[in-house]
Amino acid sequence: MSDGTATTDLDVRLEKHRVELTGYCYRMLGSSFEAEDAVQDTMVRAWRSYDKFEGRSSMRSWLYRIATNVCLDMLNAGNRRARPMDLSGPSPLAQAALTPRPDNTWLEPMPDARVLPTVGDPAEAAVAKESVRLAFMAALQQLPPKQRAVLILREVLAWKASEVAELLGTTVASVNSALQRARATLSESDSAEAAVSDPLDEEQQKLLERYVAAFEGYDMTALTALLHEDAIMTMPPFDLWLRGTGDITGFMTTLGASCAGSRLLPVAVNGLPGFAHYKPDPEEGGFSAWAIQALEISDGRITGFHCFLDTKRWFPLFGLPLHLEAESD
């Protein structure tokens, strides 16, 4: 086999693991872009050191070992990504102010297609989806890096304790202890707050259709009927977050009034139903990208309404244009 063919063959074998490795790095880092950088670094390291890989483990577990080391190095900076409600209390509408924080503060959204590999087992697919939901991701960020790795490998990816111990260069007892501590921390969080069926059941599908109609029509009465009374609205990179239908609809008709007449296109984000939100563009006509929305649903109501506003970063990540033309009648 020529060197060129061997190189191409190795590239193909490495590439097969890209989506699942991106999912792993994303859960570890809480950042879409850092996860993709970490996977690229993993691929480069694997490519360079392939001649030292003697096949003593599977290529998959070798790649996870490299990716884990890359992520642990990146996490040494100590930054823990968060949601607005992890950092402060809700703002009353009367005091609502849009104060941005740096990008590296926030837990970032991620398209499902980049982190959820296609698997035949519905139960496995459901676990993978639940493990990238915003609430679970935020809870993961509360764990020390090694506990985070242990929990993801054991609970999400179903590795054996002995396999995790080998990957981390530690003992089974140490892995079991780290898992116990991680589970205890997670049990204190609100990581189970979004009860979304996979796939969406008929009731949830109808709820989303009514949401689109209410939002695009900017009908606050209809929207109030769809939101849980304690629903939460967040808008990273702003640290403001609102709780309750009164403050949310009040915000939308005051500071958010320019969103009247918007268009919503469905997206799959963080294992949740979501929408790309385009608002009317008074200067160019048509609609300009405004936010990626991720919706949390529980008991037939919308409980979380999370709007990620850095459109120049998010819309290309989701493969979406930054502008929509007006529909001709």
Side-chain angles (χ1 to χ4, degrees):
M1 187 185 286
S2 71
D3 283 353
T5 308
T7 299
T8 307
D9 179 51
L10 178 58
D11 286 342
V12 169
R13 290 173 67 201
L14 292 174
E15 201 58 35
K16 273 197 325 194
H17 299 279
R18 182 177 292 276
V19 173
E20 66 168 308
L21 286 172
T22 305
Y24 176 62
C25 295
Y26 176 59
R27 293 178 187 101
M28 284 291 289
L29 301 169
S31 161
S32 329
F33 296 104
E34 284 184 3
E36 299 207 323
D37 287 348
V39 172
Q40 201 51 39
D41 192 0
T42 298
M43 296 296 190
V44 169
R45 290 190 194 191
W47 206 88
R48 284 181 180 155
S49 60
Y50 185 67
D51 56 338
K52 296 179 193 147
F53 170 58
E54 296 162 358
R56 283 177 298 191
S57 61
S58 69
M59 176 174 273
R60 181 173 182 252
S61 57
W62 179 60
L63 288 171
Y64 269 96
R65 181 179 294 120
I66 298 171
T68 301
N69 289 331
V70 169
C71 289
L72 292 175
D73 287 346
M74 290 171 81
L75 288 166
N76 276 340
N79 180 48
R80 291 183 180 184
R81 290 174 178 269
R83 303 167 300 173
M85 58 273 205
D86 300 324
L87 302 179
S88 67
S91 301
L93 181 59
Q95 294 166 24
L98 297 176
T99 311
R101 291 208 194 187
D103 289 340
N104 65 3
T105 307
W106 303 118
L107 184 61
E108 296 180 348
M110 183 64 114
D112 285 3
R114 286 181 181 251
V115 289
L116 299 176
T118 307
V119 292
D121 180 355
E124 200 180 317
V127 167
K129 232 176 197 190
E130 285 165 17
S131 70
V132 292
R133 289 190 181 151
L134 294 169
F136 184 79
M137 287 287 300
L140 278 179
Q141 305 308 303
Q142 302 304 312
L143 300 174
K146 281 208 170 152
Q147 278 185 36
R148 204 179 303 178
V150 168
L151 185 102
I152 296 165
L153 291 164
R154 291 282 287 117
E155 303 272 280
V156 178
L157 300 172
W159 285 40
K160 294 174 183 163
S162 56
E163 293 171 327
V164 178
E166 188 183 342
L167 181 143
L168 292 173
T170 186
T171 63
V172 168
S174 172
V175 166
N176 289 337
S177 171
L179 180 60
Q180 202 172 0
R181 292 197 304 276
R183 281 175 176 161
T185 302
L186 253 61
S187 70
E188 293 164 11
S189 75
D190 61 352
S191 61
E193 66 191 30
V196 185
S197 300
D198 180 32
L200 294 179
D201 63 32
E202 191 179 350
E203 183 189 353
Q204 290 170 347
Q205 201 59 57
K206 283 182 176 165
L207 176 68
L208 292 180
E209 287 165 12
R210 289 164 63 203
Y211 169 76
V212 171
F215 195 98
E216 290 188 343
Y218 233 57
D219 181 340
M220 295 301 133
T221 304
L223 191 61
T224 298
L226 305 177
L227 295 173
H228 188 278
E229 60 184 15
D230 288 328
I232 285 171
M233 180 182 184
T234 67
M235 291 163 281
F238 301 116
D239 58 12
L240 167 77
W241 66 280
L242 301 163
R243 171 179 274 147
T245 51
D247 279 359
I248 290 172
T249 57
F251 177 88
M252 289 174 69
T253 52
T254 53
L255 289 175
S258 62
C259 290
S262 289
R263 290 273 314 281
L264 297 181
L265 301 181
V267 293
V269 50
N270 286 83
L272 296 165
F275 295 95
H277 172 193
Y278 291 84
K279 73 175 188 175
D281 187 331
E283 290 174 14
E284 292 185 34
F287 302 86
S288 288
W290 184 246
I292 294 291
Q293 300 181 358
L295 302 187
E296 291 169 326
I297 298 172
S298 188
D299 297 327
R301 294 285 182 93
I302 294 166
T303 55
F305 170 47
H306 305 290
C307 306
F308 296 91
L309 301 181
D310 193 348
T311 52
K312 285 190 171 61
R313 298 174 83 216
W314 305 134
F315 277 63
L317 185 72
F318 281 79
L320 293 165
L322 291 170
H323 191 83
L324 295 180
E325 297 304 325
E327 290 178 351
S328 52
D329 295 327

